[in-house]
Amino acid sequence: MFFGHLSAVNLKQYPAAIQFALNYLKNTDFDQLDVGRYPLKGDRIYVQVLDLTTQPKAEILPEVHRHYLDVQYLHRGNEIIGFAPDLGNNPIAIPYSAERDILRYQSAENESDLIMQAGSFAVFFPEDIHRPACIHGEQSEIRKVVVKIAMSEIEG
């Protein structure tokens, strides 16, 4: 997992595909984009623009992906993202869906909180459990942007 803020990011520290995503995030006006999915490099790298209402942590299932990593960027609002390493010890709530590349756990052992503010980003790899859009302080509306990068773009 990586964590940072777009205003203080050193792109040279990241693999090329993540640099590509961070440049896209820095140079796009997300107030002008509608909610939806946009291809950046076909299905290998794409972006999802989401308007969400934060929820109590207990109401959100932790998730992992197997073939994509997430670059989660908070454009507006604040949230907590729970995160933990996926050591295979967590009870499964919803089995893996290959179509959606997602598995949801009932809980996440040794979960920590990441406090996100506007401009923050976090990169979650397949071995990183994450629980996004949790309330920080009080329930709020957020605009979140998730760049999905196929692991083949990192590994190959």
Side-chain angles (χ1 to χ4, degrees):
M1 186 198 81
F2 300 133
F3 172 71
H5 195 279
L6 280 184
S7 67
V9 66
N10 180 355
L11 292 175
K12 294 181 229 166
Q13 297 178 79
Y14 299 97
I18 295 174
Q19 288 181 33
F20 174 84
L22 293 173
N23 270 319
Y24 172 79
L25 294 171
K26 284 179 78 163
N27 295 307
T28 303
D29 182 356
F30 292 105
D31 291 323
Q32 300 303 312
L33 279 182
D34 290 329
V35 168
R37 178 179 163 156
Y38 301 90
L40 300 179
K41 287 188 175 181
D43 282 339
R44 296 183 330 268
I45 302 178
Y46 62 92
V47 65
Q48 297 171 315
V49 178
L50 308 163
D51 286 340
L52 304 169
T53 302
T54 57
Q55 301 296 320
K57 194 174 194 181
E59 294 181 16
I60 298 174
L61 294 173
E63 63 188 53
V64 291
H65 311 291
R66 297 296 181 226
H67 299 287
Y68 284 82
L69 65 79
D70 282 0
V71 180
Q72 296 204 11
Y73 166 67
L74 188 61
H75 178 66
R76 184 172 51 244
N78 59 66
E79 70 173 325
I80 289 176
I81 299 178
F83 70 96
D86 188 2
L87 303 177
N89 302 328
N90 301 300
I92 295 173
I94 302 173
Y96 179 73
S97 163
E99 180 182 321
R100 296 193 58 228
D101 188 41
I102 192 167
L103 179 147
R104 294 187 190 273
Y105 289 117
Q106 292 175 21
S107 59
E109 182 178 69
N110 299 316
E111 187 175 21
S112 298
D113 287 343
L114 193 60
I115 298 173
M116 302 281 286
Q117 61 182 338
S120 296
F121 70 90
V123 180
F124 298 102
F125 292 89
E127 63 273 11
D128 299 323
I129 298 170
H130 49 286
R131 187 190 314 233
C134 299
I135 291 173
H136 180 250
E138 61 186 30
Q139 191 172 51
S140 63
E141 303 300 316
I142 62 174
R143 172 151 281 203
K144 182 151 198 155
V145 180
V146 181
V147 180
K148 305 287 283 185
I149 300 174
M151 287 305 296
S152 59
E153 292 291 306
I154 301 291
E155 298 162 347

